[in-house]
Amino acid sequence: MSTRSQQLFERAQQHIPGGVNSPVRAFRSVGGTPRFFAAGSGSRVIDVDGQSYLDYVGSWGPLILGHAHPEVVAAVQQAALKGLSFGAPTEGEVEMAELLCALMPSLEMVRLVSSGTEATMSAIRLARGFTGRDLLIKFEGCYHGHSDSLLVKAGSGMLTFGNPSSGGVPADFVRHTLVLDYNDSAGLAAAFAEHGPRIAAVIVEAVAGNMNLIAPRPEFLRSMRELCSRHGSVLIFDEVMTGFRVGPRGAQGLYGVTPDLTTLGKVIGGGMPVGAFGGRREIMARIAPLGPVYQAGTLSGNPVAVAAGLATLRLLQADGFYALLAQRSRQLTDGLAAAASKHGIAFSAQSIGGMFGLYFRSACPQSYAEVMECDTQAFSRFFHAMLDAGHYFAPSAFEAGFVSMAHSEADIAATLAAADAAFSAW
Ligand SMILES: *Cc1c(COP(=O)(O)O)cnc(C)c1O
């Protein structure tokens, strides 16, 4: 007897490539059938077979308040009753822009878009338009959405230009993108020494969350800031994942480094499609209709999506929100590390605010090369044992995890008990 998820996945594959609308959902790296979800509430999701799971994916980051938070749902319902879209300005967009600029002091102006990909793509165009330069620096393992110039992996040697990491991206498009090692300040200094006057921008995940989780060395971010300022290059912090997830002012607040431009997404839409990019006024003033850098969107600043984002961002301002979120995340990562160590399993874990990394490796990685050393077979085993026990982790060894404010101490304790059972049967 096949499950409803299996039946739906069979059907899905007839008309949707791979049966999914975003590749990591397909369970390719861990094997098995993706669960189709029917509903979510607080810390839990329920699949179409009626199985309930404690959810540590949270829609890949947005659901910092948990699933279907009543105040967010009410805001969406009220907005929807007034109209789904106008293609004309609305009051909510002004409130959203004011709130984002108040929460993140590096933002003097912001523009709303509908996804993180749009935000980073537009921020890069803007940085190039502002500087009149073409070269972009990114770091291996950081993900900034799926636009052409960002789907690039390192070339064969230091300071060589990248190669496309996806079919369909002309090699010519990524000729302007230099791919360096994350946390390697010396490599960055060398790139600026060679190419400084041609570098339009450096884009970075100030906490890397798309190669599992890698914490930045503080001097890496500081030297990046210093080099960009000295060479007139635009520093872009891609905070699509970290924005309002690692702390009340994002990673830039946590590490005390101020970028020129910031990209946002995920949490700022509270589960609806909202992205944003913003920063210094003199740079933002180059966007159409004020300036020559073109950027637009039919559904940008959509009133229903913005209502969800505003309701979410307001709830994050509660006293002690981030302290409690960080404490819950740490309860999970400390507990998992203790359970693995008790059973002699090579494992490490860490959390930053409401995001965490789990590694089947004895110490937390600090680079892309180190994270690639994690034991992916051990991860798959852990993933399936936890899934069977009703605990839903990201279906890949190279994704960060997320804890929401809806996760109670008892939820985390239940997950730790399941992990202990999984590790003892190792
Ligand atoms: C998720 C993510 C993106 C892309 O956002 P989408 O909304 O999926 O297009 C870009 N940058 C980072 C750091 C992300 O985590």
Side-chain angles (χ1 to χ4, degrees), residues 37-403:
F37 289 134
S41 174
S43 58
R44 291 191 166 271
V45 284
I46 295 176
D47 72 15
V48 290
D49 291 288
Q51 164 88 39
S52 162
Y53 306 85
L54 277 166
D55 178 21
Y56 293 100
V57 179
S59 189
W60 301 96
L63 301 183
I64 194 167
L65 298 170
H67 290 269
H69 189 286
E71 288 182 47
V72 178
V73 172
V76 167
Q77 287 170 328
Q78 280 157 25
L81 287 172
K82 294 184 204 155
L84 298 182
S85 180
F86 304 105
T90 54
E91 186 171 352
E93 293 162 80
V94 184
E95 289 176 21
M96 184 84 169
E98 287 170 350
L99 184 55
L100 290 174
C101 292
L103 292 175
M104 227 171 227
S106 73
L107 303 181
E108 292 176 330
M109 299 184 103
V110 288
R111 170 144 298 169
L112 300 183
V113 293
S114 299
S115 71
T117 293
E118 266 187 275
T120 54
M121 180 184 77
S122 308
I124 287 164
R125 182 180 304 148
L126 177 58
R128 285 173 164 157
F130 176 73
T131 56
R133 305 172 181 177
D134 292 338
L135 262 192
L136 172 70
I137 289 181
K138 82 174 282 287
F139 299 93
E140 183 89 323
C142 284
Y143 176 68
H144 305 292
H146 62 89
S147 66
D148 283 340
S149 65
L150 290 165
L151 289 180
V152 49
K153 58 180 188 278
S156 49
M158 256 286 280
L159 301 186
T160 57
F161 290 88
N163 300 314
S165 62
S166 161
V169 176
D172 273 1
F173 285 23
V174 297
R175 255 191 25 233
H176 303 291
T177 308
L178 201 53
V179 183
L180 304 180
D181 282 333
Y182 195 78
N183 268 337
D184 178 10
S185 305
L188 185 64
F192 268 98
E194 183 160 345
H195 301 291
R198 295 170 53 217
I199 297 171
V202 175
I203 186 166
V204 68
E205 288 183 78
V207 172
N210 285 286
M211 45 174 160
N212 204 323
L213 182 149
I214 296 191
R217 295 195 180 108
E219 77 270 16
F220 176 59
L221 299 179
R222 279 199 303 269
S223 68
M224 192 180 298
R225 173 67 280 175
E226 200 273 320
L227 286 163
C228 285
S229 297
R230 181 152 24 111
H231 293 271
S233 308
V234 175
L235 177 56
I236 306 172
F237 273 10
D238 179 356
E239 297 229 39
V240 169
M241 184 183 286
T242 53
F244 310 111
R245 164 59 69 178
V246 298
R249 309 212 180 312
Q252 54 196 266
L254 200 60
Y255 295 97
V257 176
T258 305
D260 300 301
L261 292 178
T262 299
T263 56
L264 295 165
K266 299 193 169 114
V267 165
I268 69 161
M272 297 287 279
V274 182
F277 63 101
R280 281 164 51 196
R281 187 176 301 274
E282 87 180 292
I283 304 178
M284 293 301 289
R286 300 293 177 94
I287 303 173
L290 289 183
V293 178
Y294 193 67
Q295 190 278 327
T298 301
L299 293 176
S300 290
N302 174 270
V304 183
V306 163
L310 272 175
T312 299
L313 289 173
R314 285 181 180 137
L315 287 161
L316 305 186
Q317 309 313 311
D319 270 353
F321 183 95
Y322 286 96
L324 193 55
L325 184 68
Q327 185 187 315
R328 288 274 191 278
S329 309
R330 217 171 312 115
Q331 183 194 348
L332 178 71
T333 49
D334 286 355
L336 287 173
S341 144
K342 187 172 114 190
H343 298 290
I345 293 162
F347 179 88
S348 51
Q350 66 182 332
S351 62
I352 302 179
M355 60 194 277
F356 65 83
L358 310 178
Y359 323 94
F360 283 87
R361 178 181 194 279
S362 52
C364 294
Q366 298 203 322
S367 67
Y368 179 75
E370 284 182 4
V371 83
M372 286 299 131
E373 293 166 8
C374 289
D375 181 344
T376 52
Q377 278 180 336
F379 175 81
S380 296
R381 200 165 153 190
F382 170 80
F383 170 81
H384 280 292
M386 296 303 284
L387 187 70
D388 290 346
H391 305 266
Y392 188 77
F393 285 87
S396 162
F398 302 111
E399 300 289 347
F402 302 95
V403 169

